[in-house]
Amino acid sequence: MDGPREPDALTIGRRVRHLRTSRGLTLDALGRQVGVTPSLLSLVENGRREPRLMLLRSLADALDVSVADLLDAEPPSRRAGLEIALDRAQRSAGFERLALPTVRPGRTLPLPVLEQLVGLHSELARRDLEAIATPEEARRANTQIRLERQARDSYLPEIEKVAEQLARAAGYTGGALTHRAVSRMAEQLGFTILHVDDLPSSTRTVTDLAHGRIYLPPASIPGGHGLRSLALQAIAHRVLGHERPTSYADFLRQRMEITYFASAALMPEKAAVEHLQQAKREKDLAIEDLRDAFGVTHEAAAQRFTCLATHHLGIPVHFLRIGGDGAIYRAYANDRLPLPTDVTGAIEGQLVCRSWGVRRALARRDRSSESYQYTDTPAGTFWCSTQTGSGTEGQLAIAIGVPFASASWFRGRDTPTRHQSTCPDEACCRRPRASATARWQDASWPSARVHQHVFTALPTGAFPGVDSREVYGFLDRHAPQPADSEQS
């Protein structure tokens, strides 16, 4: 059963308006009584300004009610409830994409019209949800995990502490974490790391709990830096006390935690923060320097920066990884960048604006170094640094960005490149020109590319997406024989 609802700014505002009008008070009259301007009071009533406690007390006294009455989470009347519902519907991402004028739910709006508008918005929302109900529940779970991390500024101190302790105990003193140090970390937990060339196709690593073995693929290139991360993720399951996931949400949360642990071990907090603080003092923060200092990939360094920037440097930040078509693979933002979302709040697969730096960088000829850009958006101006490359699925671009006020700490802040975005307004970069529409709408027939993964059912089994028969056969082949155990 759900707990008691918390009041929000919009409900509080509508309750204030209901009480004010029922007492025959104008905004001017009530504003004089509580000592604020009518314009500020109007912002409060429309839910666009959350009143401070002192103002709430003054309003309660002037309206002859208690503060608790003002904070009641239930709308004060059925009409007020409808007005709140219409307001919320018109602030949704789905409505913004339509670029339609908003309807002010004031007293002059007839009740039948208000009821019809709310009913239409509710049906549109229901159909949107119904249309997207076929993709995996992973999208919703992933969105929840992302929002939880955003609320914590992507900083997880419990995992930071464990990773730092294990790395130091394995002999880490600074710089890049060596393969030997990773092996020592495994040995501390009673495991030996072995490289095999026949790992099950549905796995990245396999851990034999019975015999204390962690199986990894062989290095594809000399050094095999990615193997350190894979080994650390396998170690993390044991360190963090994970049990078999009971849902896809559990699986994704565990995946997030082992990825965080691996990153925190490869770039231990104390050393990474010292590096970043020194760079900030010199106003020369750069992801490429963090990458090179710890011998990791650019994406790993960028994601690690998001975990430390706000908590340790006081810098709000966003991270984006997109494919060559502009679709989001991963993203995070606690700096109010307006990330594109679907009706469930998920960002994966959504197209970023063509004017954003992360997407414009894909069109650059010179991709050997990072590119920099300022972008003016409805939420403010943002600076970003983007590195492009290619992976198994084609082109990709990875960006770290911050609000304009924080750009002064970064290398590349002096870039003259600046573009404007009005997304989510579809006229910005998604809606074709009127002349092109008139010419081609009835004279063309494009054949869409089908992404086969949309037809894939939610993986089932003890571990989502893993072929258990293949894994258990692999372990049978590699398990030490009795003679091996006696020799060891």
Side-chain angles (χ1 to χ4, degrees), residues 6 8 94 100 112 136 139 158 173 195 211 215 263 298 376 400 403 432 464 479 481:
E6 293 292 329
D8 59 12
L100 294 172
E136 302 90 343
R139 291 174 63 82
E158 308 87 356
T173 56
H195 297 273
H211 302 100
Y215 294 103
S263 176
H298 195 90
D376 299 318
I400 280 289
Q481 300 303 311

Side-chain angles (χ1 to χ4, degrees), residues 29-144:
L30 182 58
R32 284 195 298 271
Q33 288 190 48
V34 299
V36 299
T37 62
S39 59
L40 174 59
L41 201 54
S42 178
L43 288 174
V44 170
E45 290 191 352
N46 286 304
R48 301 188 181 278
R49 178 72 65 85
E50 190 166 344
R52 296 181 180 275
L53 181 59
M54 185 176 296
L55 178 55
L56 276 175
R57 287 172 175 164
S58 298
L59 288 169
D61 290 340
L63 297 170
D64 194 26
V65 294
S66 67
V67 172
D69 289 330
L70 294 181
L71 294 178
D72 190 338
E74 291 299 320
S77 66
R78 180 171 180 273
R79 181 183 178 89
L82 290 169
E83 291 177 356
I84 291 171
L86 182 58
D87 250 339
R88 286 177 177 157
Q90 293 181 139
R91 295 182 192 183
S92 69
F95 181 79
E96 288 180 350
R97 284 195 293 269
L98 297 174
L100 294 172
T102 58
V103 176
R104 186 173 178 273
R107 287 184 300 169
T108 57
L109 188 68
L111 183 61
V113 175
L114 180 58
E115 290 175 328
Q116 186 180 79
L117 286 173
V118 171
L120 287 172
H121 278 292
S122 297
E123 178 61 16
L124 284 173
R126 186 193 68 78
R127 293 190 181 194
D128 279 344
L129 288 171
E130 185 179 77
I132 204 168
T134 52
E136 302 90 343
E137 63 171 290
R139 291 174 63 82
R140 298 179 188 274
N142 219 33
T143 299
Q144 181 61 34

